[in-house]
Amino acid sequence: MTMKRITAILVAAIALIAATSCNGGGRTSADTAAQRRIDSLLRDVPARVGVYAQCGDRTIAVRADELFPMLSTFKVPVAIAAMQRMEREGTPLTQRIDITPGQLLPDTYSPMRERHPDGWVGATLDSLIAYSVSMSDNNACDILIGYAGGIDSVARCAADADVGPMNIEATEDDMHRALENQRANVCTPRSAVRLLQRLEAAELLSEPYTAALIGHMTATSTGADKLRAGIPPQAVIAHKTGSSDRTPEGVKIADNDIGIVTLPDGRRYAIAVYVSDSHLDDRRNAALTATISRIVYEAFAQP
């Protein structure tokens, strides 16, 4: 199947999803019950947890307007900033660039470096976005930041999206040079959901670029035990995870997942779960996110 055909299919899928969004009616008894279940779940959790989920005008929120470290969820605005430059300059997704060995930094998570340890001549921009978003590759992310014009350009892109507080200051390399830099990029759960909603509505990118980015988010291979684990196989999720290192005291700075879920009946909702300053191990952080995901899904799946 050609890239042109794949793009056309994804564009059509976005149009179909947009036509079947969660609609009207406001908060339901199922939403209220879900809110109470999440509040109860989090009461004694040794972590700060933020949740925001929206399905039309139905919402579920916990600390939705507090700032949380983004970690690799910031790779969504990075991709948007890079693709906005592509749009401005008329650059296709198939545009090729050369990646030098010096750009493939060691001691950071990078499937791309493992596959192309001596550099990559003729890499497509679309492949870089796939590595950064679908596989959370840190080197690919920083190359895209450079392509977008630097971290300040990414920050301006996030501000121009007008989704609420979203402050971006650090590259992946910055975050790996100093642990405290992993707290530099922050947003609120509500802002993350609003960004996803504006992306899906093709308000930040034209439809072909929107379709490509959502396609890469749908192909995400990280975090199968987070939001994905809380929804049934017949539901579709386009998402992006983010996970930090631990402090010397063993505290996890962040363990996040944000995404757009399409219900089996075609309705959709956006959700962000940010787990910060957690004393739980990684398995239990993921299980907590999966449980919240399941509670939200079960509520919104009801008409």
Side-chain angles (χ1 to χ4, degrees):
M1 187 178 291
T2 66
M3 178 61 68
K4 183 176 181 180
R5 176 60 176 160
I6 292 171
T7 299
I9 291 171
L10 288 169
V11 169
I14 288 174
L16 177 61
I17 291 172
T20 54
S21 177
C22 291
N23 293 311
R27 193 177 181 88
T28 70
S29 59
D31 303 338
T32 301
Q35 181 78 58
R36 290 173 178 165
R37 289 176 65 191
I38 293 173
D39 288 341
S40 177
L41 173 71
L42 298 179
R43 189 166 296 132
D44 297 318
V45 169
R48 186 169 66 96
V49 181
V51 180
Y52 189 68
Q54 184 168 11
C55 187
D57 53 4
R58 300 168 61 184
T59 61
I60 296 171
V62 177
R63 292 181 166 179
D65 296 306
E66 293 184 18
L67 291 171
F68 288 83
M70 296 177 74
L71 275 297
S72 283
T73 64
F74 98 116
K75 288 170 179 169
V76 175
V78 167
I80 292 170
M83 295 172 98
Q84 285 181 345
R85 177 189 168 181
M86 295 170 67
E87 281 197 354
R88 289 194 303 270
E89 298 179 356
T91 303
L93 290 162
T94 53
Q95 178 69 39
R96 296 186 178 277
I97 64 171
D98 293 339
I99 299 170
T100 67
Q103 292 174 290
L104 300 176
L105 303 181
D107 303 322
T108 191
Y109 180 73
S110 181
M112 182 174 67
R113 184 193 61 238
E114 293 175 6
R115 185 167 183 179
H116 303 278
D118 300 320
W120 189 1
V121 175
T124 66
L125 289 172
D126 191 57
S127 294
L128 277 178
I129 295 167
Y131 269 110
S132 180
V133 174
S134 300
M135 290 176 270
S136 209
D137 190 293
N138 294 332
N139 283 320
C141 176
D142 279 357
I143 292 169
L144 287 172
I145 290 173
Y147 178 84
I151 198 66
D152 290 343
S153 294
V154 177
R156 285 193 297 272
C157 171
D160 290 345
D162 193 27
V163 296
M166 184 171 288
N167 305 317
I168 297 176
E169 302 175 3
T171 66
E172 285 289 354
D173 187 37
D174 292 332
M175 287 189 275
H176 284 81
R177 287 178 183 273
L179 187 65
E180 61 268 24
N181 289 341
Q182 295 185 22
R183 298 183 184 275
N185 300 333
V186 294
C187 73
T188 69
R190 193 187 305 269
S191 300
V193 163
R194 182 59 181 146
L195 182 75
L196 295 177
Q197 291 170 329
R198 293 207 67 198
L199 170 64
E200 184 188 32
E203 295 174 357
L204 303 177
L205 298 165
S206 65
E207 287 188 346
Y209 292 93
T210 298
L213 181 49
I214 290 180
H216 291 312
M217 292 173 66
T218 305
T220 290
S221 58
T222 58
D225 54 353
K226 294 182 179 180
L227 288 178
R228 171 75 262 181
I231 62 177
Q234 63 268 31
V236 177
I237 183 168
H239 67 128
K240 183 72 200 81
T241 58
S243 184
S244 74
D245 294 325
R246 290 185 179 268
T247 68
E249 296 74 28
V251 176
K252 188 86 166 182
I253 293 171
D255 226 339
N256 310 325
D257 204 356
I258 64 174
I260 303 164
V261 176
T262 304
L263 298 162
D265 63 8
R267 292 178 298 130
R268 77 193 187 284
Y269 63 88
I271 180 172
V273 178
Y274 284 88
V275 179
S276 182
D277 297 318
S278 177
H279 294 262
L280 301 174
D281 60 28
D282 290 356
R283 180 185 61 80
R284 287 187 289 175
N285 281 338
L288 179 65
T289 298
T291 300
I292 293 169
S293 178
R294 184 176 67 253
I295 292 170
V296 170
Y297 180 89
E298 289 173 351
F300 287 165
Q302 299 184 39

